[in-house]
Amino acid sequence: MTPARDARSRALLDKAARENFPVAPRFLPRARRDDLMAVYGCVRLLDDIGDGDLPPGGADAALLGVDPDRADDRGALLDAFETELHRVFRTARDTGAGGRDVPRHPLLYALVPTVRRHALTPEPFLALVEANRLDQKVRRYGTWEELLGYCELSANPVGRLVLAVTGTTTPERVRRSDAVCTALQITEHLQDVAEDLALRDRIYLPAEDLERFRVTEADLAAPTANASVRALVAWEARRAHELLNEGVPLVASVPGIPKILIAGFTGGGRAALRALRSARYDVLGGAPRPGKAGVLRETAAVLGAAR
């Protein structure tokens, strides 16, 4: 492994460790962990492009085939990522390609065997690309329904990929997974209200709800949350909790080791919502995050309820 690739892998693992839920826990067989990390690496790279969080120096842009003078052009990077993504699926289909037209970025190249093993389709990844393109154009959402539409692109495909990698896809599980993933996305938005506004000029709280609770953008830019902001965050957290309730029947329906993995997603969401409550919904002074012990407790509770 080259030093550059090794550094990128370490950065990826660091980001995986900061998620609300376990990305690829050690109790899974090595091959399945590798597949989940391959998917996560691809998704994380895409999100870093969309958020402008790529490491400095332009190495990722070069690997994606983007000219150095456009290394900060998110639109060009997303287009290049999509081109590389199509190379992933062509390479996975063409076992005799012999190195021709293979993806050049190591995180995308690592996805090839996972696509091949699990017959993954490009649609979930392409939806995630579109979500990141949307982030470049849309910075405010008027209604709850509009926000749910965004989550359909930005979050739900990840759950569908997890089901595909674990071999547990059914229509009913996809429906419940979509609800859980939307809940996780909304919870993350609540944790990151201050960061999203300050660093990216984005607000993922519906404008109709800001008006209902008489919250202004200036209120969201304050160092601490006032009573109206706290009430608004509590309202959105309850909505997320209702969606997250689909996690218990989802876990109950899944056999074997994947049951524990998927329980970890729901448990992580529950722990994150508990952290919001413990902070009395003040998300402006810092992003409330659950500890590992809290995630484990909530995951055990989900597994108990699923039995």
Side-chain angles (χ1 to χ4, degrees):
M1 180 177 288
T2 66
R5 185 178 299 185
D6 187 51
R8 198 70 172 91
S9 298
R10 286 197 302 270
L12 182 66
L13 289 171
D14 287 344
K15 290 190 176 184
R18 293 197 294 271
E19 298 287 355
N20 285 328
F21 47 83
V23 172
R26 293 188 179 277
F27 63 76
L28 292 175
R30 177 62 183 271
R32 189 155 287 170
R33 288 206 314 272
D34 289 347
D35 286 334
L36 288 169
M37 282 304 296
V39 170
Y40 178 78
C42 178
V43 172
R44 188 70 262 171
L45 172 63
L46 180 54
D47 284 349
D48 285 350
I49 291 171
D51 290 339
D53 288 341
L54 290 176
D60 288 291
L63 288 165
L64 291 169
V66 175
D67 292 337
D69 59 350
R70 302 188 71 189
D72 294 326
D73 184 337
R74 298 183 198 179
L77 289 166
L78 289 171
D79 289 346
F81 180 96
E82 183 174 347
T83 298
E84 282 284 275
L85 189 62
H86 287 299
R87 285 194 177 101
V88 168
F89 284 89
R90 284 199 299 270
T91 303
R93 287 194 302 267
D94 185 6
T95 56
R100 299 188 306 273
D101 196 34
V102 299
R104 292 163 292 188
H105 197 290
L107 292 178
L108 284 154
Y109 186 79
L111 188 63
V112 171
T114 298
V115 167
R116 191 175 287 150
R117 272 193 293 269
H118 302 286
L120 300 184
T121 64
E123 284 74 21
F125 296 100
L126 293 173
L128 294 168
V129 174
E130 287 309 306
N132 279 275
R133 286 197 176 111
L134 198 63
D135 274 334
Q136 312 313 308
K137 299 179 289 186
V138 179
R139 300 183 184 274
R140 306 290 188 274
Y141 289 85
T143 67
W144 174 248
E145 287 71 25
E146 288 177 11
L147 186 62
L148 292 181
Y150 171 74
C151 292
E152 178 68 26
L153 294 172
S154 67
N156 300 359
V158 177
R160 297 182 183 203
L161 287 166
V162 170
L163 292 177
V165 167
T166 56
T168 55
T169 301
T170 68
E172 182 65 10
R173 287 175 187 152
V174 167
R175 184 186 71 77
R176 295 188 188 279
S177 171
D178 284 354
V180 169
C181 289
T182 291
L184 293 174
Q185 178 80 89
I186 291 165
T187 301
E188 183 178 347
H189 287 162
L190 296 177
Q191 291 171 313
D192 295 339
V193 167
E195 179 181 319
D196 284 336
L197 181 57
L199 300 184
R200 303 181 181 97
D201 188 31
R202 295 178 192 158
I203 296 177
Y204 294 103
L205 300 165
E208 64 182 5
D209 293 342
L210 268 69
E211 182 177 355
R212 173 179 180 176
F213 287 90
R214 299 183 180 180
V215 171
T216 67
E217 292 195 14
D219 292 330
L220 298 179
T224 59
N226 62 27
S228 295
V229 171
R230 292 172 192 253
L232 169 60
V233 174
W235 168 261
E236 306 298 358
R238 282 193 292 272
R239 285 174 146 176
H241 189 271
E242 289 174 4
L243 289 166
L244 202 58
N245 284 338
E246 293 287 353
V248 170
L250 172 61
V251 170
S253 76
V254 174
I257 290 178
K259 179 190 291 289
I260 305 174
L261 172 68
I262 294 171
F265 295 142
T266 302
R270 284 185 169 189
L273 290 172
R274 185 178 294 276
L276 289 173
R277 288 197 299 275
S278 296
R280 298 175 58 204
Y281 301 106
D282 183 359
V283 295
L284 303 184
R289 302 285 180 190
K292 289 184 178 180
V295 173
L296 287 173
R297 281 195 301 272
E298 293 293 345
T299 299
V302 170
L303 287 167
R307 284 199 297 268

